[in-house]
Amino acid sequence: MPDLEELQKKVRKLQSRAGTAKMELHDLAEDLPVSWTEIKAVAEKTFNAYADLDAAKRELAALESSR
């Protein structure tokens, strides 16, 4: 089981990754219809980044509440 500090570091890293993915999706949307074929890939990457972040936040909350 990961310790609290390790999990907090993981959440920060995932927050950064999710923010970057969000900006990529935003930039793609602003440039439409150019690169419209990339919508699915960029959206899936963004979705996965936020899903990973959500899971890590839940894990962190569970660890914090068990202390």
Side-chain angles (χ1 to χ4, degrees), residues 4-59:
L4 183 62
E5 188 175 314
E6 185 179 303
L7 202 47
Q8 288 171 333
K9 184 177 178 180
K10 179 181 178 181
V11 167
R12 285 191 301 274
K13 184 177 179 182
L14 289 171
Q15 283 175 324
S16 177
R17 191 177 102 193
T20 299
K22 178 179 76 169
M23 289 310 300
E24 287 176 16
L25 187 59
H26 178 267
D27 291 346
L28 177 65
E30 284 188 340
D31 291 339
L32 288 174
V34 176
S35 302
W36 69 269
T37 57
E38 296 178 33
I39 293 171
K40 278 187 176 182
V42 175
E44 186 174 334
K45 178 182 173 183
T46 305
F47 179 90
N48 291 336
Y50 276 92
D52 292 346
L53 176 58
D54 183 62
K57 283 183 172 182
R58 289 174 189 264
E59 186 179 356

